């Protein structure tokens, strides 16, 4: 039985790729064309994808002439495309990677359906599968080719960032039975207006956070995996004045903002340059804001807290895996941070990926919700005060953050309250279909550009 290393299954699929199921004879033709393609590209370079597609079609036509085969026009088209996928680019993943409605792509083993996470709909089973380990390894290594990383028997696990910014994790035996997970990089970041329309935040909470960021408070965005921490952080940076200097320190470049004066630093572990060193280097770069994409290890966490405590930047921001502000502080203390140093973090924003259920339709779903906003309590660092519990505000804790905003902006408490109401009104009235950059410009104009009274 002929195998391309991938194929279409007979199971029920909620998400279907466009390739038709191939006969044994068609598979043989595809393999012959793919072999001819490899030989040809060893002799001369193929510079573009369109050139590669033209070459695959040309070689298929030559093979058909040599063997006296006649193909229908649509058959020629899909067989040439299959030969192209067999040898070039991301293979069958090309179609999935180009679908902007997908958030995740997951290969969970050989001869098992590939799954995709469709934005707003959850996990869906595709009609596609990977059939053998050799093809799986070849596919992963094609994805990592330009990154200088390979999946091998000696290195059966691979982490990488694809050219479009998507995260890739792959593993093979003995670590797994062939696993590939790609978390896709969103081309259009979410704006604060999107956070409102998705129901993740209320206008009142965003108005408060906009003032907290403007008042130079350092913020940690905590939550579980895929809860949208980085998307929220990226969105809320829209409240930072466009004229300020922002230092972005990320292992995986995900933050995408329109600020002109930004500098991105990426760790180079092979050269001994870690996140820790870059966070400390940022203190010598006169930043207005320091953004640390994600702190995971003990040294990174201590370096971030040190940065927030130093006051070199007007505000420091990071994401952190924790279920609550209290959990975040306990983890940070466990990682070696002194309780006195943790006072450098002014605010915790906790966001969670939660399951939803429509009882009338018997349908499960998923949503991202802010479940807690807590302000540091100097009298008891390990027990921050919950300003917002996911449903309502604590007026006592809110007064604490208003005092901090007052101190950080020079506005009287009464002015802060009035401004918060003004921003809440602006956020409620704004449209959410403008796109990220236009939304950014609207926010900058409203906050800093001489709006009408």
């Amino acid at each position: 039985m002929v195998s391309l290393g991938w194929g279409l299954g007979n199971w029920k699929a909620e998400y279907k790729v466009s390739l038709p199921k191939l006969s044994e004879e068609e598979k043989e033709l595809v393999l012959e064309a793919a072999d001819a393609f490899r030989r040809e590209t060893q002799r001369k370079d193929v510079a573009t994808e369109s050139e590669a597609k033209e070459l695959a079609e040309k070689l298929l036509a030559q093979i058909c002439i040599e063997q006296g085969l006649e193909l229908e026009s649509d058959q020629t088209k899909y067989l040439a495309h299959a030969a192209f996928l067999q040898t070039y680019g991301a293979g069958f993943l090309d179609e999935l990677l180009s679908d902007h409605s997908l958030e995740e792509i997951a290969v969970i083993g050989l001869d098992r359906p590939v799954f995709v996470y469709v934005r707003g709909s959850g996990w869906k089973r595709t009609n596609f599968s990977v059939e053998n380990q050799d093809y799986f390894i070849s596919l992963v290594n094609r994805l990592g080719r330009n990154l200088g990383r390979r999946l091998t028997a000696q290195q059966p696990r691979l982490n990488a960032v694809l050219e479009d910014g998507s995260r890739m994790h792959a593993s093979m035996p003995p670590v797994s039975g062939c696993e590939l997970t790609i978390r896709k990089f969103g081309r259009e970041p979410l704006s604060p207006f999107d956070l409102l329309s998705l129901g993740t935040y209320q206008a009142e909470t965003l108005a408060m956070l906009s003032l907290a960021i403007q008042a130079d408070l350092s913020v940690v965005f905590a939550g579980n995996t895929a809860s949208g921490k980085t998307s929220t952080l990226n969105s809320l940076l829209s409240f930072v004045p466009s004229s300020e200097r922002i230092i972005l320190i990320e292992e995986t470049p995900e933050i995408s903002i329109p600020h002109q004066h930004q500098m991105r630093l990426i760790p180079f572990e092979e050269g001994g340059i870690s996140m820790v060193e870059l966070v400390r280097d940022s203190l010598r770069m006169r930043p207005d804001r320091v953004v640390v994409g994600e702190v995971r290890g003990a040294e990174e966490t201590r370096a971030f807290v040190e940065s927030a405590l130093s006051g070199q930047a007007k505000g420091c921001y990071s994401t952190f895996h924790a279920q609550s502000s209290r959990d975040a502080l306990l983890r940070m203390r466990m990682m070696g941070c002194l309780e006195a140093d943790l006072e450098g973090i002014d605010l915790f924003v906790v966001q969670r990926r939660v399951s939803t259920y429509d009882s009338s339709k018997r349908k499960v779903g998923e949503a991202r919700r802010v479940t807690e906003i807590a302000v540091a309590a100097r009298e008891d660092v390990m027990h921050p005060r919950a300003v917002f519990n996911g449903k309502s505000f604590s007026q006592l804790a809110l007064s604490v953050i208003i005092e901090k905003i007052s101190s950080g902006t020079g506005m009287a408490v009464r002015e802060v309250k009035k401004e918060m109401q003004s921003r809440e009104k602006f956020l409620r009235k704004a449209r959410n279909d403008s796109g990220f950059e236009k939304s950014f410009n609207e926010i900058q104009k409203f906050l800093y550009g001489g709006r009408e009274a």
Side-chain angles (χ1 to χ4, degrees):
M1 192 173 184
V2 181
S3 175
L4 300 175
W6 52 270
L8 301 178
N10 295 318
W11 53 80
K12 183 179 178 181
E14 299 90 6
Y15 183 103
K16 294 183 179 181
V17 294
S18 59
L19 275 172
K21 196 166 186 176
L22 305 183
S23 67
E24 295 297 299
E25 294 79 8
E26 287 177 328
K27 289 179 184 177
E28 288 180 359
L29 265 179
V30 168
L31 289 175
E32 285 187 58
D35 286 340
F37 184 95
R38 291 188 189 96
R39 290 194 299 270
E40 190 72 19
T41 52
Q42 284 173 356
R43 291 194 291 268
K44 65 176 184 179
D45 289 334
V46 176
T48 65
E49 184 175 307
S50 62
E51 285 181 18
K53 288 181 177 179
E54 285 177 15
L55 179 59
E57 192 165 342
K58 177 185 172 183
L59 293 171
L60 178 68
Q62 287 177 356
I63 291 169
C64 288
I65 291 171
E66 290 169 5
Q67 297 183 6
L69 298 174
E70 288 188 19
L71 302 179
E72 296 178 1
S73 59
D74 63 331
Q75 190 180 24
T76 300
K77 190 174 180 180
Y78 70 69
L79 289 180
H81 185 58
F84 162 79
L85 294 179
Q86 193 72 11
T87 52
Y88 193 89
F92 72 89
L93 292 177
D94 268 340
E95 186 173 334
L96 305 182
L97 288 169
S98 63
D99 185 345
H100 301 318
S101 72
L102 302 185
E103 293 184 2
E104 306 255 357
I105 301 167
V107 176
I108 61 171
L110 303 180
D111 294 316
R112 301 181 67 185
V114 172
F115 281 78
V116 292
Y117 191 95
V118 182
R119 186 177 295 110
S121 300
W123 287 106
K124 304 293 181 185
R125 182 168 46 186
T126 74
N127 56 337
F128 226 94
S129 71
V130 176
E131 295 179 344
N132 63 57
Q133 185 170 308
D134 288 342
Y135 177 79
F136 173 80
I137 295 171
S138 170
L139 178 65
V140 171
N141 289 338
R142 279 157 63 186
L143 290 169
R145 178 175 51 203
N146 296 330
L147 310 171
R149 300 183 184 183
R150 292 182 62 80
L151 194 66
T152 65
Q154 291 72 37
Q155 295 289 336
R157 185 170 61 93
L158 185 149
N159 284 301
V161 181
L162 304 183
E163 290 181 348
D164 69 349
S166 298
R167 293 185 189 182
M168 177 177 76
H169 178 275
S171 59
M172 58 181 277
V175 176
S176 74
C178 293
E179 164 271 329
L180 171 65
T181 306
I182 298 174
R183 177 172 295 179
K184 292 184 60 185
F185 178 77
R187 292 179 180 270
E188 178 77 4
L190 296 178
S191 73
F193 308 137
D194 292 322
L195 296 181
L196 278 178
S197 65
L198 291 170
T200 307
Y201 284 81
Q202 300 173 6
E204 191 175 357
T205 55
L206 284 181
M208 180 189 70
L209 289 172
S210 73
L211 279 161
I213 287 172
Q214 190 178 341
D216 307 335
L217 303 188
S218 290
V219 187
V220 166
F221 295 84
N224 54 1
T225 301
S227 59
K229 302 181 293 294
T230 303
S231 294
T232 292
L233 169 55
N234 195 105
S235 173
L236 297 188
L237 290 174
S238 295
F239 298 126
V240 173
S242 61
S243 60
E244 293 193 349
R245 173 174 167 84
I246 301 177
I247 306 297
L248 304 169
I249 305 169
E250 296 182 280
E251 187 175 66
T252 303
E254 290 184 287
I255 299 293
S256 177
I257 51 178
H259 295 76
Q260 292 296 310
H261 197 168
Q262 59 174 280
M263 174 63 66
R264 190 181 297 277
L265 303 176
I266 300 173
F268 180 52
E269 298 292 348
E270 292 84 351
I273 302 171
S274 66
M275 287 273 285
V276 176
E277 291 178 88
L278 294 180
V279 172
R280 288 176 178 154
D281 284 352
S282 71
L283 301 179
R284 304 180 183 95
M285 299 171 68
R286 192 166 179 165
D288 288 318
R289 315 279 171 161
V290 173
V291 180
V292 183
E294 183 175 357
V295 290
R296 298 188 190 95
E299 285 192 59
E300 293 170 15
T301 303
R302 290 197 295 271
F304 171 76
V305 172
E306 178 185 315
S307 178
L309 195 65
S310 71
Q312 289 279 65
K314 293 196 288 185
C316 293
Y317 316 100
S318 186
T319 64
F320 192 75
H321 280 273
Q323 301 282 25
S324 68
S325 60
R326 169 76 171 155
D327 287 347
L329 286 165
L330 287 172
R331 284 195 66 209
M332 289 178 175
R333 187 174 68 179
M334 185 178 68
M335 289 175 170
C337 296
L338 299 175
E339 286 190 19
D341 290 348
L342 291 172
E343 289 183 11
I345 302 172
D346 298 292
L347 204 62
F348 289 88
V349 178
V350 183
Q351 195 166 303
R352 295 196 64 188
R353 180 166 57 111
V354 298
S355 297
T356 60
Y357 181 63
D358 187 332
S359 59
S360 62
K361 296 181 180 178
R362 300 297 184 195
K363 186 177 180 181
V364 295
E366 193 172 83
R368 291 166 176 84
R369 297 281 186 268
V370 58
T371 56
E372 181 189 4
I373 298 175
V375 62
R378 292 194 178 277
E379 67 277 6
D380 187 355
V381 175
M382 298 306 295
H383 291 85
R385 297 181 178 182
V387 179
F388 180 72
N389 63 8
K391 295 181 179 178
S392 60
F393 283 85
S394 162
Q395 293 305 313
L396 186 61
L398 182 59
S399 66
V400 174
I401 196 170
I402 287 174
E403 288 284 354
K404 281 180 172 281
I405 292 169
S406 173
S407 176
T409 60
M411 291 191 292
V413 167
R414 184 177 59 188
E415 287 181 89
V416 173
K417 291 179 179 179
K418 184 178 179 181
E419 178 64 17
M420 196 177 297
Q421 291 173 349
S422 174
R423 295 186 182 198
E424 181 183 349
K425 184 179 178 181
F426 163 72
L427 289 163
R428 287 188 192 280
K429 287 176 64 177
R431 295 175 51 143
N432 71 314
D433 57 354
S434 303
F436 178 72
E437 192 155 348
K438 189 173 180 182
S439 297
F440 174 83
N441 292 333
E442 288 177 15
I443 289 169
Q444 290 291 313
K445 183 177 180 181
F446 180 80
L447 297 185
Y448 311 113
R451 68 185 188 277
E452 294 180 2

